[in-house]
Amino acid sequence: MNYYEVLGLTPPVTEKEIRSAYKKALLLHHPDKVKTSEKTISIDLINKAYHTLINDNEEYQKQVIFGDGLDIFNLADFEEKKIDDGVEFYMKCPRCRTESGIKLTEDDLIGGAQQENNEYEVIVQCGDCSLWIRVQYEEE
């Protein structure tokens, strides 16, 4: 269950929607309001979901474009990590917010890229959700 599901939301969402869903979830799952036999979500998890989403919401709304085509990112948006076989590039998925949800290796960049002049583009999917993005980069 991701943080959107904890609060009963589907992205994209506004700050107002996050705040409203947070209050509703607190009332719905508060230990004083729930019978012991009912399945509930912990207040700690609800608080963590709220604080994560409210802090990430501005960044999320700027990054994700909903419409025709795939969202475009630059390889510079990715973090770089050395691995045994070279380098791995990763970033937080803009949809499901999974850390390192989108990963690329040097092989992905070399083998799967479309080239036009000195510019390259590869299409990659998040490892946790169905989001596909386009990653653009230039030849070094």
Side-chain angles (χ1 to χ4, degrees):
M1 176 180 285
N2 66 38
Y3 291 144
Y4 288 98
E5 292 168 340
V6 168
L7 296 181
L9 295 168
T10 303
V13 294
T14 64
E15 191 173 304
K16 183 178 179 179
E17 290 170 321
I18 294 170
R19 291 182 195 285
S20 176
Y22 169 67
K23 290 174 186 175
K24 183 178 178 181
L26 285 175
L27 289 173
L28 186 65
H29 298 285
H30 195 279
D32 292 341
K33 304 282 183 187
V34 177
K35 296 176 185 170
T36 56
S37 62
E38 292 182 34
K39 186 176 180 181
T40 64
I41 299 171
S42 77
I43 299 300
D44 289 339
L45 182 57
I46 293 169
N47 283 328
K48 187 170 183 179
Y50 169 75
H51 290 291
T52 300
L53 294 178
I54 205 73
N55 290 333
D56 287 348
N57 191 49
E58 184 177 326
E59 172 190 348
Y60 179 88
Q61 296 294 340
K62 289 179 185 174
Q63 278 187 340
V64 181
I65 301 166
F66 293 92
D68 294 338
L70 300 176
D71 297 336
I72 300 171
F73 292 84
N74 192 293
L75 192 58
D77 297 327
F78 285 69
E79 298 291 326
E80 193 174 320
K81 179 172 89 176
K82 295 202 183 297
I83 57 174
D84 294 336
D85 298 346
V87 177
E88 181 179 79
F89 301 89
Y90 62 93
M91 71 179 273
K92 182 187 285 189
C93 176
R95 178 188 287 161
C96 70
R97 310 305 291 160
T98 299
E99 292 292 334
S100 303
I102 309 229
K103 292 182 184 178
L104 290 165
T105 63
E106 288 176 305
D107 290 340
D108 295 327
L109 297 175
I110 295 167
Q114 300 287 328
Q115 178 183 4
E116 187 174 319
N117 299 323
N118 287 353
E119 296 180 359
Y120 293 83
E121 181 175 282
V122 65
I123 297 174
V124 64
Q125 183 179 21
C126 173
D128 286 352
C129 74
S130 62
L131 180 69
W132 289 85
I133 65 168
R134 293 167 43 191
V135 179
Q136 297 178 339
Y137 56 101
E138 293 183 14
E139 185 176 29
E140 290 185 355

